[in-house]
Amino acid sequence: MHLQFFLLLAAALFCIGVYGLINSRSAVRVLMCIELMLNAVNLNLMAFSNFLDPQEIRGQVFTVFVITIAAAEAAVGLAIVLSIYRNRDTVDMERFNLLKW
Amino acid sequence: MNLAAGVQIVSFGLLAAIILVGALGVVLLPNIVFAAFLLGLVFIGMAGQYLLLNADFVAAAQVLIYVGAVNVLILFAIMLVNKKEDFTPLPRAWVRRGATALVCLGLFALMGTTIASTPWALDPAPTVSSSVATIGAHFFSDFLLPFELVSVLLLAALIGAVVLARRDYLPTVKEQETVFSLPERPRELITSDSK
Amino acid sequence: MDFASLAAQLNAGAILPEVLVTVTLLGVLTIDLVGGRSTSRWTPYLGIAGLLGALGALYYQWGQANPTAFLGEFNADPLSIVFRGLVVIAAAVTIAMSIRYVEQTGTSLGEFIPILLTATLGGMFLSGADELVSLYVALETLSIASYLLTGYMKGDPRSNEAALKYLLIGAASSAVFLYGASLLYGLSGGETRLAAIGAALSTLTPQTASGAVIALVFVAAGIAFKISAVPFHQWTPDVYEGSPTPITAFLSVGSKAAGFALATRVLVVVFPSVLEQWHFLFAALAVLSMVLGNVVALTQTSMKRLLAYSSIGQAGFVILGLVAGTAEGYASMVFYLIVYLFMNLGAFTAVVLFSLRTGTDQISEYAGLYQKDPLLTLGLSLCLLSLGGIPPMAGFFGKLYLFWAGWQAGLYGLVLLGLVTSVVSIYYYVRVVKMMVVKEPQEMSEAVKNYPPVTWSLPGLRALQVGLVVMVLVTSLGGILSNPLFRLANSSITQTPLFQAVPPSIANSRL
């Protein structure tokens, strides 16, 4: 097993997340793409933790924090999506244009 | 190559395939409900990878929090924003998609070559056998500060999310009075109110 | 192990100001929960008192012998103290201006203040965090609380939209930052302390250098988002316009100051080995921010959007001090941020007051305000002139010091560009001042014609008035009597150990 396999997988996942982030029309799907990117980061941290830092495993501690904060962020994101849906009746990113230039 | 290494390689490949196909599905599938379920699949695949990386505790946390909480939250969001929305197609959307795809491929190539060319300082020592104990010791010694700070963050996120998502947010003063006099009101009024 | 020795081992006294803020936060929350809505008449003042207490605690921390706390998680050096002080003052003034604002919009203060204090806490820890995990957690505490505050006016679609945009762009940029952080963890062979990472990166071979540059680019993207430098600024105008105005003030000052603290610490401690690359990167950010921020501000019609673009331009000026890379450069950056705090908060307080009285923030509605409300006009004019850098305001001396430090460091092109763009910026600031002062009575706008009689007796307005007067006084006198501020900025750099490695003038060797 090589460290590079995991890192390449993480990089691919991150890039897929970036693609989805830019091209998604639905706000909920953008949230999902952010979760993908965070998972890529977690995989990076876990791989480094296993291969480079096996005694202290600080990467695992870091990952636990990232997971916690991602959950908080998802909750806040859901609340904001709900409140905007209630006012605007849509989750289409292209139609959130009250604020432009 | 011994048997254990072979099994590891095969399971890595299977999990990586699940993760990549799932992630592509999340991004590309038109139906958002399928996308959300595929996201759950990606999360479970990640937990499998963590097991391959000798991290039992984080793998369990991944399943519990990502699949159990984040993915369920996202499914709730989809259900609450419960409208079949046909997005009006944008003119020349394919140009944007193509350009982003190119940029992302370029980014991946850049990151891939860097990853492949960097000589990582590998540490041959075996991973600690009980990761839970080590993580716990970290939480209460050199990672105490973020551990405490995260509790404040979670509190604020909890309060803020409730404030934002609550439906009728601030009853006017008159309404509040009627709420307080609720026990004295006749029963049918309450039921008609609670609708 | 008993509690006292544990506290001594952790050097827990170093976070006393943060503990005070946390206690205030919980206190306000609990009082609101137990006492109900009627307590909101005085809980904001409790919040301000807690913040002032934290400021006092910060004052007593200055120059303590052992700044490292929590086993290297947190660094209470003079640099962090200055930035934490900036965040605390910004939060206190923000509370003072939001008491009336939040009441008038019919939302509740009981949750608003705890969330604002959480953001403050995040900003304070971000200013002193010395380790990747603390850094990330503090950054997210600040960000998540800011998303919530941005969307706090949930009946207003513009506020919702601003919150959604801020959340999505912010979460994406923090994921990018985090990817950079994970690369740093790997490149350093499993270190999370900033100093250890910097030491590990300093032994770079050509093979690892590309990894370090990629990590730098990812980390810089996260930082540039926080300080809203072009091209990571797209969220700024929308979020500034859509947020409740006091929150806009906090984001443009407190959050930005914390971002600069993060930038300074990370760039100076972690990336000295790729010095040229980060100088180039941030010089580019400075050029783009100065040009785009100041030019687009010319076309704005809303006061909040004008201040948003102007704050992008101001961020460009501040980055100039960072790029200079000398002790004077950092000191001028700190000095300008201190001055910017007062003048920008003063301007925002005036804008809040105007929108409380008229319900609008269009620039054209300010026409002829001088006849109806001289104090507001005077305060806003002084702050805007100071932002434009007109002598003898504090902003002039701030810019002078920045440009001087940049010139000393050999950044001739950047300084010249800074001079040109600040001339452009004077134009749009003076346009607003002219609108308020010069117009004849018959040219008055509708909003000013219907201006309510000036009264300060409504609950919360007194605090706003005090905030406005203090900010305007510091802005106008801070220029002539700038010595204390100047000394503060200088000693925050010279007494901070991490800048000891910085030679007084790198540039001379570079020329």
Side-chain angles (χ1 to χ4, degrees):
Chain A
M1 288 305 283
H2 292 295
L3 170 63
Q4 278 86 347
F5 291 171
F6 291 98
L7 298 185
L8 284 175
L9 176 62
L13 195 59
F14 191 81
C15 293
I16 294 175
V18 172
Y19 176 85
L21 187 73
I22 299 172
N23 283 320
S24 294
R25 294 290 295 276
S26 155
V28 180
R29 200 190 291 255
V30 178
L31 274 179
M32 294 200 254
C33 291
I34 290 169
E35 298 301 336
L36 284 184
M37 288 164 72
L38 287 176
N39 266 281
V41 172
N42 282 347
L43 186 59
N44 243 357
L45 286 170
M46 298 296 282
F48 284 135
S49 161
N50 187 44
F51 287 98
L52 310 180
D53 190 19
Q55 287 301 309
E56 292 290 326
I57 54 170
R58 295 195 196 92
Q60 294 197 16
V61 181
F62 206 154
T63 306
V64 173
F65 280 110
V66 176
I67 292 178
T68 315
I69 289 175
E73 216 162 46
V76 171
L78 168 65
I80 292 176
V81 167
L82 277 187
S83 71
I84 194 168
Y85 178 72
R86 216 169 272 151
N87 281 330
R88 301 287 307 278
D89 206 34
T90 177
V91 289
D92 184 354
M93 294 300 290
E94 300 295 332
R95 281 171 56 195
F96 295 146
N97 49 9
L98 281 182
L99 305 165
K100 271 250 167 80
W101 284 99
Chain B
M1 187 194 288
N2 56 12
L3 184 64
V7 170
Q8 277 192 356
I9 294 268
V10 169
S11 36
F12 171 82
L14 276 178
L15 289 170
I18 289 177
I19 289 172
L20 288 179
V21 170
L24 283 173
V26 169
V27 173
L28 298 174
L29 277 187
N31 188 331
I32 195 164
V33 179
F34 293 159
F37 278 108
L38 280 178
L39 186 67
L41 194 66
V42 173
F43 290 154
I44 291 175
M46 294 299 287
Q49 297 283 16
Y50 295 166
L51 286 179
L52 283 181
L53 290 166
N54 306 313
D56 44 1
F57 173 70
V58 184
Q62 165 89 7
V63 173
L64 284 177
I65 299 176
Y66 264 120
V67 184
V70 175
N71 204 25
V72 170
L73 264 182
I74 287 175
L75 281 170
F76 261 100
I78 294 171
M79 285 191 285
L80 288 171
V81 184
N82 175 21
K83 197 168 90 174
K84 188 87 184 140
E85 197 166 349
D86 290 320
F87 296 124
T88 46
L90 286 179
R92 282 193 302 246
W94 62 271
V95 176
R96 200 167 94 170
R97 281 208 205 98
T100 355
L102 274 182
V103 168
C104 289
L105 278 178
L107 187 67
F108 178 66
L110 182 70
M111 283 153 78
T113 46
T114 313
I115 288 165
S117 68
T118 306
W120 302 99
L122 293 181
D123 188 339
T127 305
V128 284
S129 52
S130 74
S131 61
V132 186
T134 318
I135 292 174
H138 275 304
F139 276 157
F140 287 99
S141 60
D142 52 347
F143 289 97
L144 180 62
L145 184 69
F147 188 68
E148 297 297 334
L149 183 55
V150 138
S151 61
V152 181
L153 165 66
L154 289 178
L155 175 69
L158 184 75
I159 296 169
V162 170
V163 167
L164 286 189
R166 193 163 48 181
R167 190 176 285 274
D168 53 352
Y169 170 50
L170 196 74
T172 55
V173 180
K174 269 183 192 159
E175 274 174 359
Q176 216 167 21
E177 280 165 5
T178 56
V179 168
F180 281 122
S181 65
L182 196 68
E184 285 133 58
R185 279 193 290 168
R187 193 169 187 81
E188 52 274 23
L189 250 179
I190 298 172
T191 49
S192 68
D193 248 16
S194 66
K195 259 178 211 167
Chain C
M1 198 193 300
D2 63 323
F3 187 75
S5 80
L6 187 71
Q9 202 184 343
L10 291 175
N11 192 10
I15 60 158
L16 181 64
E18 284 81 0
V19 171
L20 282 176
V21 174
T22 315
V23 169
T24 317
L25 186 168
L26 295 176
V28 172
L29 203 58
T30 320
I31 290 169
D32 184 71
L33 197 64
V34 175
R37 265 182 75 74
S38 59
T39 56
S40 72
R41 295 187 75 82
W42 55 274
T43 43
Y45 301 101
L46 180 67
I48 295 178
L51 288 169
L52 292 181
L55 202 61
L58 279 173
Y59 176 76
Y60 282 107
Q61 281 202 345
W62 187 273
Q64 61 176 340
N66 175 21
T68 311
F70 283 86
L71 310 172
E73 291 282 298
F74 190 77
N75 198 339
D77 52 12
L79 180 77
S80 83
I81 292 179
V82 169
F83 278 108
R84 284 146 86 200
L86 288 179
V87 178
V88 169
I89 297 174
V93 179
T94 306
I95 293 184
M97 49 175 129
S98 48
I99 300 172
R100 186 71 213 151
Y101 190 94
V102 174
E103 286 289 311
Q104 200 151 323
T105 49
T107 40
S108 126
L109 270 166
E111 287 94 19
F112 183 84
I113 289 175
I115 299 176
L116 181 64
L117 289 177
T118 312
T120 315
L121 200 64
M124 291 172 82
F125 277 119
L126 188 59
S127 310
D130 212 9
E131 194 262 352
L132 283 180
V133 178
S134 309
L135 204 70
Y136 173 66
V137 173
L139 180 71
E140 285 296 310
T141 309
L142 174 61
S143 304
I144 291 185
S146 308
Y147 309 149
L148 291 169
L149 290 170
T150 304
Y152 200 77
M153 301 297 147
K154 56 185 235 171
D156 179 4
R158 291 189 310 165
S159 174
N160 299 151
E161 206 179 301
L164 186 68
K165 282 182 180 168
Y166 196 22
L167 174 97
L168 296 179
I169 300 178
S173 83
S174 77
V176 172
F177 173 84
L178 205 53
Y179 194 87
S182 78
L183 284 183
L184 287 178
Y185 173 68
L187 286 169
S188 64
E191 293 290 346
T192 53
R193 301 265 303 275
L194 296 186
I197 295 172
L201 289 190
S202 65
T203 58
L204 281 182
T205 57
Q207 284 95 10
T208 50
S210 65
V213 172
I214 289 197
L216 166 70
V217 171
F218 279 105
V219 169
I223 293 173
F225 164 78
K226 212 69 220 155
I227 59 180
S228 69
V230 180
F232 299 93
H233 71 288
Q234 277 97 346
W235 61 278
T236 319
D238 291 354
V239 170
Y240 281 17
E241 191 186 355
S243 313
T245 317
I247 295 312
T248 311
F250 181 76
L251 292 180
S252 76
V253 178
S255 173
K256 196 166 272 198
F260 273 106
L262 165 76
T264 316
R265 197 173 291 275
V266 169
L267 293 174
V268 172
V269 178
V270 177
F271 291 111
S273 48
V274 285
L275 189 79
E276 275 166 25
Q277 283 88 341
W278 80 252
H279 274 182
F280 174 75
L281 204 62
F282 277 81
L285 290 180
V287 170
L288 290 173
S289 306
M290 285 193 285
V291 172
L292 193 125
N294 286 317
V295 170
V296 180
L298 289 174
T299 64
Q300 298 307 315
T301 54
S302 150
M303 196 64 197
K304 277 162 95 176
R305 271 186 112 76
L306 174 83
L307 286 173
Y309 278 104
S310 105
S311 90
I312 294 175
Q314 304 278 353
F317 296 136
V318 181
I319 298 175
L320 187 66
L322 192 64
V323 175
T326 56
E328 288 97 21
Y330 296 120
S332 69
M333 179 185 87
V334 173
F335 181 68
Y336 195 75
L337 277 173
I338 297 173
V339 171
Y340 174 73
L341 167 95
F342 288 106
M343 54 198 189
N344 216 31
L345 281 181
F348 268 110
T349 315
V351 173
V352 169
L353 190 56
F354 185 76
S355 67
L356 279 179
R357 288 190 174 148
T358 62
T360 174
D361 47 37
Q362 290 299 310
I363 293 174
S364 54
E365 300 288 343
Y366 282 78
L369 184 63
Y370 178 67
Q371 274 105 352
K372 293 288 176 101
D373 196 341
L375 173 71
L376 175 57
T377 311
L378 181 73
L380 186 54
S381 308
L382 287 178
C383 289
L384 288 179
L385 293 178
S386 177
L387 280 167
I390 307 253
M393 299 294 158
F396 169 72
F397 292 96
K399 269 191 189 146
L400 196 67
Y401 189 24
L402 264 180
F403 291 153
W404 177 79
W407 192 268
Q408 292 285 310
L411 304 167
Y412 304 119
L414 272 181
V415 171
L416 285 178
L417 186 70
L419 284 173
V420 172
T421 47
S422 42
V423 171
V424 175
S425 77
I426 289 173
Y427 173 74
Y428 60 76
Y429 291 125
V430 168
R431 192 169 58 120
V432 180
V433 176
K434 206 179 104 193
M435 187 72 97
M436 289 187 294
V437 178
V438 186
K439 294 276 177 182
E440 298 294 320
Q442 63 271 17
E443 291 177 297
M444 244 185 237
S445 67
E446 282 304 308
V448 174
K449 273 183 195 146
N450 304 327
Y451 204 74
V454 175
T455 165
W456 299 99
S457 56
L458 286 168
L461 273 187
R462 192 59 74 181
L464 196 152
Q465 185 192 23
V466 172
L468 179 64
V469 170
V470 170
M471 294 298 123
V472 171
L473 271 184
V474 176
T475 306
S476 43
L477 297 182
I480 306 155
L481 308 171
S482 64
N483 242 349
L485 295 180
F486 189 71
R487 262 210 311 278
L488 177 71
N490 266 336
S491 54
S492 77
I493 299 300
T494 50
Q495 292 179 18
T496 300
L498 71 97
F499 293 109
Q500 299 304 326
V502 178
S505 193
I506 289 179
N508 296 346
S509 60
R510 202 194 301 158
L511 282 175

